[in-house]
Amino acid sequence: VNYMILKGGAIKNGTVTSTSFAGAGVATSSGITSFTNDDKGWGGNIGVFGNGAFVMQDGEVSGGRVTASGTGVAFGGNIGAVSNVNSSKALNRSNIYIFGGLIKNGIVESTSTATQSFSCYGANIAAGGPASYYTDGQANLYIHGGTITQDNVPGKTPTYGAFYRGTEEKNAHGGNIVYTYTNEFISGKSRTVNGVAYTGGPIEISNGYAYSAKGQGVGGNIFQKETSINMDGVTVKGGTASHRGGNIYFNTNVTGHKITNSTITNGSTEGTGDNGGGNLYVGNGKLTLTNTEISNGTTKAKGGNIYIAQQTTVEVVLQSGAILNGTSSANTGGNMFVSGKFTMNGGEVSGGKG
């Protein structure tokens, strides 16, 4: 897709198969992109490559699926975007713009033996692919409205999300979203794309699941990979990770992570040991929370709401808002487990159990 606008209707269950650039287009039948050996695939329903763009104003994108085996990598179950370098060695960066509508029930799954630690990521949206496969495999992601979710049922085995089912120590990232470059998760923002003005609305990201049988399942709803997160007016809820970051996993050492006027709630992690962060796992970088509530996270390990990892580069700053009612069944930080640095300039921390 070079430039596509979805204003209504539905794109569902697309089938794309390829030996090179799986998913670089739109199709509408069975919803599976599959590949083996050293192949790489993205975008079970919509794939964006080079300087292409996908703009979603309304409608539905659902049921996309990307699977990998051999040494393949799967990303972007419903929507995937990667950049490339043109013949003049200038970077063509792809873009995803979401202003409204519904994106749901994407799957990325793998039994891959790829040399990279990752094997699959971004069950609904992957903005950017592995740089080792694509020169500067980054893409831009702008979400200003809409719902990105999975129809997983509490108490039952999750159907949708990111799954590594192989025998290697490989990770599954982002049961809903993975992004690697410029991002904005800002509700209601107006933006002009190719000369057309769009205005967003409320944003909800929910019910994602990230699972790895041998490695780590991280970022049940969102996995932050390369650049800072900029989130304002967003609800992130109900995410589950088999290991770390039930709702969000912060991976990269940058100082500009910001969550403002938002609600992060009801996240959970399943693993024991040195895992946890029912709502947030801050593995690197500095995160500032302003007028934001982090609540009702649960873990069988450390940090019912937040796990702050042991790195000199890790800091969480609570400017205002609240961290509430987290639970650690291992009795290791009901609200927070802090190995890095936590600075409290305002707000409230209360109700933790464990």
Side-chain angles (χ1 to χ4, degrees):
V1 175
N2 186 29
Y3 181 62
M4 174 183 176
I5 305 171
L6 180 63
K7 295 185 176 182
I11 299 174
K12 296 184 177 182
N13 306 327
T15 299
V16 183
T17 59
S18 172
T19 59
S20 180
F21 296 122
V26 178
T28 53
S29 68
S30 72
I32 299 173
T33 297
S34 62
F35 53 96
T36 59
N37 299 322
D38 195 29
D39 297 334
K40 38 274 185 189
W42 74 92
N45 273 314
I46 297 170
V48 187
F49 185 66
N51 60 359
F54 172 65
V55 180
M56 185 168 179
Q57 189 174 15
D58 204 348
E60 177 182 326
V61 179
S62 63
R65 183 176 187 139
V66 181
T67 62
S69 58
T71 57
V73 178
F75 54 104
N78 269 315
I79 303 169
V82 295
S83 303
N84 73 338
V85 175
N86 64 23
S87 58
S88 300
K89 300 190 181 301
L91 181 65
N92 292 323
R93 197 178 303 283
S94 54
N95 297 276
I96 299 172
Y97 304 90
I98 310 297
F99 295 95
L102 174 64
I103 302 169
K104 70 173 186 176
N105 294 350
I107 299 172
V108 286
E109 60 183 348
S110 173
T111 57
S112 172
T113 59
T115 57
Q116 293 82 3
S117 63
F118 49 77
S119 61
C120 56
Y121 60 106
N124 270 318
I125 300 173
S132 57
Y133 276 159
Y134 304 101
T135 303
D136 196 353
Q138 302 166 336
N140 299 324
L141 175 62
Y142 305 96
I143 301 176
H144 299 311
T147 298
I148 301 161
T149 191
Q150 306 282 26
D151 286 343
N152 291 318
V153 179
K156 295 186 178 181
T157 301
T159 302
Y160 308 102
F163 303 91
Y164 178 72
R165 307 184 191 276
T167 58
E168 307 294 323
E169 292 189 1
K170 307 298 179 186
N171 299 338
H173 302 81
N176 264 314
I177 297 170
V178 169
Y179 67 90
T180 64
Y181 199 63
T182 301
N183 74 93
E184 287 186 350
F185 300 77
I186 300 178
S187 64
K189 183 172 179 176
S190 297
R191 179 182 290 274
T192 299
V193 182
N194 281 14
V196 180
Y198 301 90
T199 300
I203 300 171
E204 177 184 305
I205 302 167
S206 60
N207 300 335
Y209 185 71
Y211 167 84
S212 174
K214 291 285 286 183
Q216 292 187 341
V218 295
N221 272 317
I222 299 171
F223 179 80
Q224 174 270 335
K225 189 173 187 294
E226 298 289 347
T227 190
S228 60
I229 194 168
N230 182 12
M231 182 179 291
D232 193 337
V234 180
T235 297
V236 183
K237 65 181 184 179
T240 301
S242 61
H243 292 81
R244 297 177 174 181
N247 270 318
I248 306 175
Y249 185 102
F250 296 87
N251 181 66
T252 305
N253 178 22
V254 292
T255 60
H257 298 308
K258 296 178 182 179
I259 301 180
T260 306
N261 303 319
S262 296
T263 299
I264 317 294
T265 190
N266 293 324
S268 65
T269 63
E270 300 171 332
T272 57
D274 192 23
N275 293 298
N279 275 312
L280 307 178
Y281 185 97
V282 186
N284 222 329
K286 180 179 179 180
L287 167 65
T288 300
L289 302 170
T290 304
N291 193 32
T292 289
E293 179 179 299
I294 313 293
S295 64
N296 300 316
T298 61
T299 183
K300 296 178 181 178
K302 302 173 181 179
N305 273 316
I306 304 175
Y307 185 124
I308 302 173
Q310 187 177 6
Q311 301 272 3
T312 58
T313 55
V314 176
E315 181 180 7
V316 174
V317 179
L318 179 61
Q319 293 288 87
S320 57
I323 301 170
L324 305 172
N325 304 327
T327 301
S328 164
S329 60
N331 296 317
T332 313
N335 271 317
M336 291 187 293
F337 179 81
V338 181
S339 285
K341 182 179 180 180
F342 175 68
T343 301
M344 186 171 177
N345 295 325
E348 174 185 352
V349 179
S350 66
K353 298 178 181 180

